[in-house]
Amino acid sequence: MRLAVLLAAAAILAPASALAQSIAIKGSTGQIVTVTAAEVAKLPRVSFLFDAHGQKHTYEGPLLLDVLAKAGAPTGKDLHGPALANAVVVRASDGYAVVYGLAELDPGTRANRVILADKADGAALDAKDGPFKVVAEGDLRPARSARLVTSIEIVNLGSGRGTPHSHD
Ligand SMILES: Nc1nc2c(c(=O)[nH]1)N[C@H]1C(S)=C(S)[C@@H](COP(=O)(O)O)O[C@H]1N2
Ligand SMILES: [Mo]
């Protein structure tokens, strides 16, 4: 009887918690865009093996830059000049935070990919890591790979100036 009640409660709560899986992105001009897990799942997927202190797992998810693009972050040809001063602050529900430079998230700038993983070894991330974990391919330490990611902030730390020139 008690088990039946628990199962019924789980059946009601499970879809609700799945819906709650989203990430809030604050753009450099202050606008906040919420990207849901379903939207993250629809973006082009990347996967690679990541070695954290000898523990190897295959992480899968979209490029973090593609997720940030949904909040208006400059990508491709627009990621040049003053946009290079954009910092990306990744925040987790336990208070942990890591900072990336926007340009290092760009596959046109660096070969190593940084993804917003929603799967590890083919399964959805567990409660310790998920719903989202930023994973930085090629990092020799796992410290920048933030688990429990709930929000991301893009902050332009530059002056908006520089010397114009014909290429990046
Ligand atoms: N949310 C969150 N992510 C985090 C951390 C943390 O404290 N909180 N610690 C980082 C550090 S310093 C390490 S070494 C790895 C540890 O990952 P593990 O607990 O999966 O081994 O997570 C990284 N990501
Ligand atoms: Mo660490």
Side-chain angles (χ1 to χ4, degrees), residues 53 96 141-143:
H53 301 309
Y96 195 68
R141 299 196 297 138

Side-chain angles (χ1 to χ4, degrees), residues 10-78:
I12 293 163
L13 290 173
S17 64
L19 282 176
Q21 294 190 343
S22 64
I23 187 155
I25 302 169
K26 190 171 178 183
S28 60
T29 58
Q31 77 283 15
I32 295 176
V33 171
T34 300
V35 181
T36 65
E39 290 171 313
V40 170
K42 276 189 212 135
L43 289 168
R45 319 279 301 168
V46 170
S47 74
F48 53 77
L49 197 65
F50 186 79
D51 184 332
H53 301 309
Q55 306 256 40
K56 296 187 183 72
H57 296 289
T58 298
Y59 288 96
E60 186 194 309
L63 292 175
L64 180 56
L65 191 66
D66 287 348
V67 180
L68 300 182
K70 290 190 160 287
T75 63
K77 290 196 302 306
D78 295 331

Side-chain angles (χ1 to χ4, degrees), residues 111-131:
N112 281 340
R113 297 158 296 179
V114 180
I115 61 172
L116 185 69
D118 53 9
K119 285 187 172 174
D121 302 325
L125 294 180
D126 60 20
K128 174 184 164 283
D129 279 2

Side-chain angles (χ1 to χ4, degrees), residues 65-146:
L65 191 66
D66 287 348
V67 180
L68 300 182
K70 290 190 160 287
T75 63
K77 290 196 302 306
D78 295 331
L79 186 40
H80 70 101
L84 273 285
N86 279 306
V88 176
V89 189
V90 176
R91 298 186 195 282
S93 60
D94 63 350
Y96 195 68
V98 294
V99 177
Y100 291 88
L102 186 63
E104 70 181 309
L105 307 181
D106 170 26
T109 302
R110 284 188 63 81
N112 281 340
R113 297 158 296 179
V114 180
I115 61 172
L116 185 69
D118 53 9
K119 285 187 172 174
D121 302 325
L125 294 180
D126 60 20
K128 174 184 164 283
D129 279 2
F132 305 112
K133 176 173 178 171
V134 167
V135 187
E137 185 178 29
D139 269 13
L140 301 178
R141 299 196 297 138
R144 295 206 302 173
S145 291

